[in-house]
Amino acid sequence: MAAFSDIYYDSHDARLRLYARDYGGNGLPVICMHGLSRNAADFDWLAAHLSPRYRVIVPDQRGRGLSGWDAEPANYTPAVYVQDMFKLMGDLGMARAALVGTSMGGIMAMIMGAMAPQSVAGLIINDVGPEIAVEGLERIRSYVGKSPPITSWADAAARAKQTNDVCFPDYGEADWMAFARRTYHADAAGLPVSSYDPAISGAFDPDGPVVAPPDMWALWDALKGLPILGIRGELSDLLTEATFGQMLERHPAMHAVTVANRGHAPMLDEPEAVDAIDAFLGGLENQA
């Protein structure tokens, strides 16, 4: 695990104490935002890679990791999370930052770019887009907030493999244990506990059919003035190849890369993803 310092700050609505990792660095600020049931640990490798050159901040969204859980589950929504991110930027004196967003974090990045383009140097959108495939949502609904009792780290690794094997078909036992260590934390007895509030699953109807979220193409079109790197997992069941192609068609300046043998979502430690991110952020620095 890379070295980082802790940031604790108040949410924009002053309801919660939130947490972020500060990996240091003195260059262009880069804020990395995780997916629905994940947390800041997902970006540990990428943050360590980028921090010698950039100021890297990785928040836990409310209800995840070391951030407070919200007593009102209706607040578990990107519209609220982005306000927390703008609050964090203000607290840190960041007038402008590059945004890296995986899945839900990518939707957050798009919203932030549309709301305040002057505050966004560029967007790296990882395996999400203006249309979200129902198949991927169904798979996510099948496990978010529904974990069976986990009594050991071996159980946690097995559960991680069960729910994500289709996305990382080349992972071995050590990879799944590392995955578990990112998605669970140790309780007082050293046993794994899920690192998110089960109430985040409230976005899904537990009984009815999965319904695709509202069309976000207008949001995507609002980003045409911003530099974008789009990343897709070759095996993704959330971002289809057709949607990815349409994103590029409607934003011709977008840089696009597909990560081989990855589903939803690439971990951004894959060589093709790393090369694309390095080149994209380097270009943003040259434009500054």
Side-chain angles (χ1 to χ4, degrees), residues 127 232-241 262-264:
D127 211 62
R232 177 180 180 268
E234 178 188 28
L235 309 177
S236 179
D237 59 1
L238 201 81
L239 175 60
T240 67
E241 189 174 3
R262 286 289 179 270
H264 181 77

Side-chain angles (χ1 to χ4, degrees), residues 89-200:
M89 289 178 67
D91 287 357
L92 295 177
M94 289 182 177
R96 197 162 176 259
L99 306 178
V100 181
T102 292
S103 193
M104 180 190 78
I107 294 173
M108 292 168 57
M110 290 191 288
I111 294 171
M112 293 173 71
M115 287 179 62
Q118 72 283 357
S119 299
V120 177
L123 308 172
I124 298 174
I125 308 295
N126 183 23
D127 211 62
V128 74
E131 288 185 20
I132 298 177
V134 170
E135 292 80 5
L137 290 176
E138 182 64 67
R139 182 178 58 81
I140 293 169
R141 183 178 72 164
S142 72
Y143 67 81
V144 171
K146 301 176 182 178
S147 180
I150 301 295
T151 59
S152 69
W153 283 103
D155 280 353
R159 177 63 174 169
K161 180 178 181 179
Q162 178 187 11
T163 55
N164 293 279
D165 192 38
V166 67
C167 305
F168 304 95
D170 59 351
Y171 268 24
E173 290 185 11
D175 299 304
W176 290 121
M177 182 58 72
F179 196 107
R181 295 284 180 179
R182 291 192 298 267
T183 51
Y184 294 82
H185 64 272
D187 66 10
L191 297 176
V193 177
S194 181
S195 290
Y196 66 83
D197 181 353
I200 66 168

Side-chain angles (χ1 to χ4, degrees), residues 16-116:
L16 302 169
R17 196 71 172 155
L18 301 181
Y19 173 81
R21 297 180 177 189
D22 183 350
Y23 286 84
N26 297 310
L28 173 72
V30 177
I31 299 175
C32 301
M33 300 178 292
H34 60 72
L36 175 68
S37 62
R38 310 293 269 275
N39 59 75
D42 266 5
F43 291 103
D44 191 57
W45 187 94
L46 182 65
H49 173 74
L50 295 177
S51 59
R53 187 170 177 179
Y54 305 101
R55 173 78 190 282
V56 183
I57 303 295
V58 189
D60 284 334
Q61 302 304 325
R62 60 175 69 196
R64 286 85 166 176
L66 297 181
S67 285
W69 290 14
D70 201 315
E72 179 47 72
N75 289 327
Y76 288 143
T77 175
V80 173
Y81 306 145
V82 299
Q83 296 296 338
D84 291 335
M85 295 301 93
F86 285 129
K87 171 65 162 49
L88 175 60
M89 289 178 67
D91 287 357
L92 295 177
M94 289 182 177
R96 197 162 176 259
L99 306 178
V100 181
T102 292
S103 193
M104 180 190 78
I107 294 173
M108 292 168 57
M110 290 191 288
I111 294 171
M112 293 173 71
M115 287 179 62

